Amino acid sequence: MNDQPILQAKNISHKFDYELFNNVNLSLNEKESIAIIGKSGSGKSTLLNIISSLLKPDDGEVIFENQNIYTIKNKKLLNIRREDFGIIFQAHYLFRGFTANENLQIAQFLSNEKVDEELLKSLDINHVLHQGIGELSGGQQQRLSIARVLTKKPKIIFADEPTGNLDKDTAHDVMNTLFEYIKSNNAGLVLVTHEEDIAFKCDKVYKLVDLELQEIK
């Protein structure tokens, strides 16, 4: 296990028409899960986009493998997104003209990793692989998008409301799958959620309030 954090956010500040947060600091270690909670509009998803390389902050640094990801060349950043970062979006971004299995095969082709049959069973989607995306429920699409991300074996998973379309029991099963993944692969997990019972299953919990990120667990 690496003694150094696998990801660090240092003095992150950002605003749109109004200030969202100021001097945010966060550190993620191997095998560690972090949850970020806060009121709607507090900037949770924006912060996740910043630390996952999708949105450059107004100020501050995001350090991955001893480099600020916002100062490296675009080609290398694209490689990090493809190989090292796994992003679970609220919108699933599945290919609707393909079956569930074909969506997984695309992920397998891009990552050169084999789809884990046990993973599909744990997410309870192994029986719907032949179906088109439009035939799947919202919850099944959510779980398929999670399987697609985990198939590429990322070093860090960034998840925006990963259990938002799931019933309580299925949500807890999905979280257990994510926790098992990071433990087995020396990876890390950062998730945004409005569900505090889900958040407090994580190793650390932060809350965005009054422009600050406060550690509450």
Side-chain angles (χ1 to χ4, degrees), residues 15-78:
K15 61 183 178 181
F16 293 123
D17 293 332
Y18 56 93
E19 192 169 19
L20 279 175
F21 39 77
N22 188 40
N23 290 326
V24 162
N25 291 277
L26 181 148
S27 180
L28 177 71
N29 297 313
E30 288 181 354
K31 300 186 178 182
E32 185 175 54
S33 55
I34 290 175
I36 301 171
I37 62 175
K39 293 180 179 179
S40 296
S42 62
K44 303 185 301 296
S45 293
T46 298
L47 179 58
L48 193 73
N49 287 341
I50 288 172
I51 63 176
S52 64
S53 81
L54 299 180
L55 177 66
K56 187 175 181 179
D58 292 332
D59 291 296
E61 301 177 311
V62 178
I63 307 299
F64 175 72
E65 294 187 339
N66 299 315
Q67 285 187 294
N68 180 4
I69 61 175
Y70 289 109
T71 62
I72 63 178
K73 292 183 178 179
N74 191 51
K75 184 176 180 180
K76 184 175 180 180
L77 182 57
L78 290 175

Side-chain angles (χ1 to χ4, degrees), residues 93-106 129-136 141 144 148:
Y93 296 115
L94 297 167
F95 297 102
R96 299 193 67 83
F98 296 85
T99 65
N101 190 48
E102 288 168 338
N103 270 268
L104 290 174
Q105 289 176 343
I106 292 170
L129 297 183
H130 65 285
Q131 296 182 14
I133 299 304
E135 300 175 274
L136 303 181
Q141 291 183 38
L144 178 62
R148 186 177 61 177

Side-chain angles (χ1 to χ4, degrees), residues 130-178:
H130 65 285
Q131 296 182 14
I133 299 304
E135 300 175 274
L136 303 181
S137 69
Q140 288 170 333
Q141 291 183 38
Q142 181 90 326
R143 283 173 276 151
L144 178 62
S145 70
I146 292 170
R148 186 177 61 177
V149 166
L150 297 188
T151 291
K152 72 175 189 174
K153 298 292 192 294
K155 294 180 181 177
I156 304 175
I157 301 167
F158 302 94
D160 194 352
E161 300 284 2
T163 60
N165 291 318
L166 308 177
D167 62 76
K168 185 175 181 179
D169 289 340
T170 304
H172 286 291
D173 289 343
V174 165
M175 290 308 304
N176 287 336
T177 297
L178 293 175

